[in-house]
């Protein structure tokens, strides 16, 4: 397979675009496309300070790399979840983020910005690791993912607000988005479908807008970018991801993609179109958010938000203090 631009050996063939590219041209193509998506979906402007949630994985580190190379004022945020899983998962992923930062700074390839990495250690700040909180609460029964998602959302909002960032950026790729879309469609969860988008406006004044600049890239493309660019990342998935429905959905969708290249991208873009045309307009009218009595973040329940309720339980159980919340 030859590169469409220069005729050299291609490193990737993207069947859904009928496009094969060599390493050099692929490293140009990914930032170009990212910039196109940023503009097309009105994600952010070069003046805004951007907070990128990095996990040490290929998607988020590649995204931070691309945004910095494009000249955006992008800082990173790493959340230490305290997950070991026999592979020292959290410490390793933290190390990858630090390595990435040191590396990119030393390469002198960032036009203007001096990026920093914010590190939030959940156990240090709130007194317990994610698996510990999960084991103690009904929400975490069985798997810690629900608690983990809740804590990550809260911490991300908090760091963005405290740091004065207008935009919070995550590395979700098309495979992630389509797997969630399939799950939400199978249950026709209109509330979740309404909240699934590449750009989510801030829920409340002072909170950050949430955007996903890589949402149109297939996972194999972000992996290829990291590889060709020489970005070291953690290969292991979080040990709790094993056996999840979203992984099962990804496999089914990949099978469909094999038979019909582009089906994943079309599924997602057609959903966005339907959403824009008002498919969930009725649900939108019914969502009302108020500020949590304790932390001030938006919540659909009156009184305390779900995050603060997690640590309330801890207090009544007498396990420790949640005073830093
Ligand atoms: S980190 Fe957290 Fe994921 Fe691990 S515990 Fe589940 S939600 S799988 S993205
Ligand atoms: Zn080429
Ligand atoms: Zn709260």
């Amino acid at each position: 397979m030859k590169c469409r631009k220069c005729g050299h050996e291609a490193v990737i063939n993207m069947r859904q675009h009928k496009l094969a590219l060599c390493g050099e041209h692929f490293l140009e193509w990914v930032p170009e496309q990212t910039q196109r998506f940023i503009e097309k979906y009105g994600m952010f402007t070069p003046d805004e300070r951007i907070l990128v949630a990095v996990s040490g994985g290929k998607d988020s580190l590649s995204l931070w790399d691309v945004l910095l190379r494009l000249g955006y004022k992008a800082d990173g945020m790493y959340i230490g979840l305290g997950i070991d899983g026999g592979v020292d998962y959290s410490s390793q992923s933290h190390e990858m983020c630090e390595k990435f930062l040191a590396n990119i700074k030393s390469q002198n390839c960032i036009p203007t910005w001096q990026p920093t990495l914010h590190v939030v250690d959940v156990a240090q700040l709130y007194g317990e690791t994610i698996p510990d909180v999960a084991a103690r609460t009904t929400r975490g029964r069985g798997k810690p993912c629900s608690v983990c998602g809740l804590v990550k959302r809260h911490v991300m909002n908090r760091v963005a607000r405290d740091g004065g960032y207008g935009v919070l950026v995550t590395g979700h790729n098309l495979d992630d988005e389509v797997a969630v879309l399939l799950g939400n469609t199978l249950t026709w969860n209109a509330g979740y479908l309404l909240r699934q988008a590449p750009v989510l406006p801030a829920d409340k004044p002072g909170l950050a807008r949430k955007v996903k600049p890589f949402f149109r890239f297939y996972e194999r493309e972000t992996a290829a970018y990291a590889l060709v660019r020489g970005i070291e990342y953690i290969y292991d998935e979080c040990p709790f991801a094993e056996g999840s429905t979203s992984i099962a959905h990804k496999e089914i969708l990949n099978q469909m993609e094999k038979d019909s290249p582009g089906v994943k991208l079309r599924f997602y873009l057609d959903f966005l179109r339907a959403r824009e045309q008002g498919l969930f307009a009725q649900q939108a009218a019914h969502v009302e958010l108020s500020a949590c009595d304790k932390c001030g973040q938006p919540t659909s329940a009156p009184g305390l938000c779900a995050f603060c309720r997690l640590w309330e339980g801890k207090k009544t159980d007498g396990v420790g203090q949640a005073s830093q919340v």
Side-chain angles (χ1 to χ4, degrees):
M1 188 70 60
K2 301 283 179 222
C3 171
R4 186 204 278 177
K5 296 200 174 169
C6 69
H8 287 140
E9 199 58 39
V11 294
I12 190 162
N13 179 24
M14 295 169 281
R15 286 171 73 206
Q16 78 281 19
H17 299 310
K18 295 192 178 64
L19 178 66
L21 293 172
C22 70
E24 190 191 327
H25 285 117
F26 184 63
L27 288 183
E28 276 176 23
W29 182 81
V30 170
E32 274 167 21
Q33 291 296 305
T34 309
Q35 179 60 30
R36 190 168 78 83
F37 304 149
I38 292 169
E39 288 171 17
K40 180 175 166 72
Y41 297 93
M43 293 184 172
F44 41 78
T45 63
D47 311 327
E48 290 180 279
R49 284 175 60 238
I50 295 161
L51 187 63
V52 187
V54 285
S55 66
K58 61 185 185 322
D59 302 298
S60 53
L61 290 183
S62 296
L63 176 59
W64 196 9
D65 178 278
V66 167
L67 294 179
L68 288 171
R69 285 171 195 272
L70 284 170
Y72 287 103
K73 300 173 183 168
D75 287 334
M77 165 187 38
Y78 172 78
I79 305 176
L81 306 168
I83 295 174
D84 183 303
V87 290
D88 218 0
Y89 177 73
S90 285
S91 330
Q92 286 227 39
S93 45
H94 181 194
E95 200 183 312
M96 290 299 168
C97 299
E98 297 285 1
K99 257 193 190 170
F100 168 83
L101 183 63
N103 221 342
I104 198 154
K105 276 184 168 174
S106 72
Q107 284 179 39
N108 276 336
C109 55
I110 314 171
T112 46
W113 188 242
Q114 274 303 313
T116 50
L117 176 66
H118 301 273
V119 178
V120 177
D121 188 282
V122 172
Q124 251 176 36
L125 193 57
Y126 300 110
E128 279 177 305
T129 64
I130 292 295
D132 287 345
V133 190
R136 168 175 70 71
T137 55
T138 27
R139 196 183 179 108
R141 204 156 283 163
K143 267 200 160 202
C145 293
S146 167
V147 166
C148 181
L150 176 67
V151 171
K152 283 195 287 194
R153 276 193 300 279
H154 178 92
V155 172
M156 286 194 270
N157 271 336
R158 177 178 159 164
V159 175
R161 184 192 61 196
D162 294 353
Y165 294 93
V167 195
L168 184 57
V169 172
T170 56
H172 294 96
N173 59 45
L174 186 89
D175 292 67
D176 299 326
E177 291 303 296
V178 172
V180 172
L181 177 60
L182 180 60
N184 289 341
T185 310
L186 288 173
T187 54
W188 284 114
N189 192 322
Y192 287 168
L193 287 164
L194 180 70
R195 299 278 303 157
Q196 201 183 347
V199 179
L200 281 180
D203 290 323
K204 288 262 161 204
L207 277 187
R209 175 160 80 257
K210 292 184 181 130
V211 305
K212 303 169 183 171
F214 271 7
F215 84 101
R216 287 180 63 152
F217 289 126
Y218 282 22
E219 191 165 335
R220 59 190 287 270
E221 293 157 13
T222 58
Y225 181 84
L227 220 71
V228 180
R229 178 62 83 198
I231 296 171
E232 248 191 283
Y233 63 89
I234 181 159
Y235 293 101
D236 290 308
E237 289 259 13
C238 168
F240 294 111
E242 207 178 301
S244 68
T245 37
S246 73
I247 290 189
H249 288 158
K250 279 184 181 177
E251 282 166 12
I252 294 164
L253 287 154
N254 282 340
Q255 193 52 49
M256 292 166 71
E257 181 78 21
K258 233 189 209 166
D259 301 333
S260 174
V263 70
K264 289 192 288 194
L265 185 59
R266 282 196 301 276
F267 180 37
Y268 194 70
L269 293 183
D270 287 348
F271 155 70
L272 287 187
R273 200 165 304 126
R275 191 180 174 280
E276 232 165 68
Q277 287 167 355
L279 189 62
F280 307 107
Q282 244 183 334
Q283 276 74 32
H286 288 112
V287 181
E288 263 185 42
L289 295 173
S290 53
C292 166
D293 287 349
K294 190 165 186 184
C295 71
Q297 289 200 18
T299 169
S300 50
L304 294 184
C305 72
F307 175 86
C308 290
R309 273 185 277 128
L310 270 187
W311 310 96
E312 273 292 296
K314 191 181 166 192
K315 266 188 180 171
T316 19
D317 293 341
V319 183
Q321 289 292 313
S323 55
Q324 285 154 313
V325 174

